[in-house]
Amino acid sequence: MSSKDVLPAVQEKSAPTDEEVEEELCLLDLEDADSLLFHVEELISQHLDEFPEDQVDDDAARYAAKMTKASITDGTRDGHLRIIKHYITFHIRRNKKWDPKRVDDKTPHDITAFITQKCGPVEQGFEGRKYSTAVSTRAALTMWYKNIRPNESLTEWRLDSVSNTWRGLPTRSRQVSQFMVGLEKTKAKSGEVSSSARALALEDIHRLHNHCLDPNLTLSQKRAGIIRYAAYLLAWLMLLRIDEVIKLRFENFEKIPGERRFVDISLNTRKQNQTGLLHSWRLHANDSDPVVCPVRAFILLASFGPLFMHVTAQGAVMQSQPLTASVLSRALSRDLQGLGYASWALYGTHSFRRGGCQYRIKVKRWSADMVAAWGGWSQVEAVTMFRYFYSPNDNHEFMHDYDRNY
């Protein structure tokens, strides 16, 4: 056999390193935080007794109240304000020179120190609160740092090498994410169930379809409903983040003239794509269940430019104003409340990705490797994919039927 006939050796992929898995867990932490951020008031309200208004009236408490009132004028966020006042008071009592408006490399540590005080073990002198208290606290402090630095990015935390200043939100720092991941693991070992976004199942998608496309809606309501439902459906079918869905344009779709069986979709960019190759999907028409048929949803949308655009209360489609993640998140909360979901606060925009993943496994009977390939997930991401398959908030109501033999 000549050298030309020798087949190249197949290079085996190495197992993910601990560092890679930790990085992926931090990304999942940020996704969960983002998903709950737009309707975290319900969660915060459940923990207000842990942040009493009548804390010791000293100089630190009075300073905290004055600082909070001067910096945040939104009176609808009373729960956030109480947590923020406790945060400022906690640090002023430890260090009278501590500046609540200072944002630098020490700020993430300030955040984790306060959460540790609230959620650390009682036997070590801390308060021993639940993990959900940590989630509420982080959300309130996100609001604080957004208000005192309104022009900063809401999606990053980085050191600007030119100005040597920290940009973005300290609650999104790697240090805070690592802390939250570790705290969640610690609480889980002690038997505590953490709160992640609940998955939206097939029947939930059917209900959202019927709600958003109710024939009794006005024309303006139908326009808004079509856009909302199409966004919901694509996030669910393609296992996408909401911020990826709302950036889709009609140019991302390749529809062969006369071909009604499927449509090909590709993303311009994707955060987790490490290979440089664009991930693509082929979505097939679903005649057996038209409610979740992507082709029918595209026909309803038929336009050019941004796929999802803002619709005013009067029904006007704002061609130059694409839909935003916050608008869609609040719309989902309203839709679920309109459907009578008492547990609407357990759902977030990340629920579509979780629910779509579970749909592929449970209903379509896909294997785990098929879901990983469909989602465009790397080997590292596949390691943590179990978080999408299972959540303590999902499926427990069906446990009595798990062992049925008939």
Side-chain angles (χ1 to χ4, degrees), residues 75 79 101 116 175 190 194 208 288 326 334 336:
K101 291 190 175 183
T116 299
Q175 181 178 340
S190 64
S194 62
L208 283 169
S288 62
S326 59
R334 289 194 299 270
L336 292 175

Side-chain angles (χ1 to χ4, degrees), residues 282-296:
R282 173 164 289 183
L283 293 179
H284 289 260
N286 191 338
D287 294 334
S288 62
D289 191 353
V291 168
V292 293
C293 175
V295 175
R296 288 173 171 82

Side-chain angles (χ1 to χ4, degrees), residues 154-394:
L154 305 182
T155 60
E156 62 180 356
W157 173 251
R158 63 178 178 83
L159 178 64
D160 187 330
S161 58
V162 177
S163 61
N164 199 35
T165 56
W166 285 88
R167 320 301 307 186
L169 285 173
T171 50
R172 294 189 66 86
S173 68
R174 176 69 179 269
Q175 181 178 340
V176 172
S177 281
Q178 287 177 322
F179 172 84
M180 295 295 286
V181 169
L183 180 63
E184 184 179 20
K185 289 180 179 178
T186 301
K187 294 293 186 180
K189 288 179 181 178
S190 64
E192 183 180 317
V193 176
S194 62
S195 295
S196 56
R198 187 167 188 171
L200 285 161
L202 178 61
E203 56 266 29
D204 298 314
I205 299 298
H206 273 253
R207 294 184 189 116
L208 283 169
H209 169 275
N210 296 338
H211 179 72
C212 293
L213 305 182
D214 188 329
N216 295 318
L217 295 175
T218 65
L219 180 59
S220 60
Q221 290 172 330
K222 286 180 180 178
R223 286 175 177 170
I226 287 171
I227 289 177
R228 289 202 316 278
Y229 180 71
Y232 296 163
L233 182 61
L234 286 188
W236 193 74
L237 287 175
M238 298 168 66
L239 316 183
L240 291 176
R241 300 179 179 92
I242 281 295
D243 64 337
E244 292 176 320
V245 170
I246 60 177
K247 291 176 183 176
L248 285 172
R249 301 176 62 87
F250 278 90
E251 296 90 313
N252 296 116
F253 294 72
E254 183 179 354
K255 185 72 174 69
I256 302 173
E259 176 60 73
R260 70 163 305 277
R261 295 173 300 167
F262 61 82
V263 60
D264 292 330
I265 308 172
S266 61
L267 298 185
N268 294 329
T269 58
R270 195 162 196 194
K271 282 183 281 190
Q272 72 265 35
N273 196 323
Q274 305 296 320
T275 64
L277 300 176
L278 294 180
H279 188 67
S280 61
W281 293 260
R282 173 164 289 183
L283 293 179
H284 289 260
N286 191 338
D287 294 334
S288 62
D289 191 353
V291 168
V292 293
C293 175
V295 175
R296 288 173 171 82
F298 300 146
I299 292 172
L300 288 173
L301 281 172
S303 183
F304 183 83
L307 197 62
F308 303 105
M309 292 170 289
H310 182 68
V311 177
T312 68
Q314 292 72 37
V317 178
M318 308 301 290
Q319 297 286 345
S320 60
Q321 191 175 340
L323 201 60
T324 64
S326 59
V327 168
L328 199 59
S329 178
R330 288 191 288 269
L332 174 62
S333 295
R334 289 194 299 270
D335 287 337
L336 292 175
Q337 290 176 72
L339 286 168
Y341 278 40
S343 58
W344 63 269
L346 290 176
Y347 298 90
T349 52
H350 204 51
S351 297
F352 294 106
R353 204 177 194 204
R354 289 180 180 273
C357 190
Q358 293 183 25
Y359 167 72
R360 299 295 179 181
I361 292 286
K362 297 175 182 178
V363 179
K364 304 299 287 184
R365 303 297 182 185
W366 286 14
S367 61
D369 59 318
M370 291 169 67
V371 177
W374 179 256
W377 294 329
S378 68
Q379 189 179 17
V380 177
E381 291 166 321
V383 171
T384 58
M385 193 168 57
F386 181 77
R387 289 173 65 103
Y388 294 135
F389 295 160
Y390 171 78
S391 164
N393 284 327
D394 297 320

Side-chain angles (χ1 to χ4, degrees), residues 22-37:
E22 184 179 14
E23 176 68 24
E24 177 61 18
L25 286 172
C26 287
L27 290 174
L28 287 171
D29 164 70
L30 290 174
E31 287 182 1
D32 280 340
D34 290 343
S35 183
L36 293 171
L37 189 59

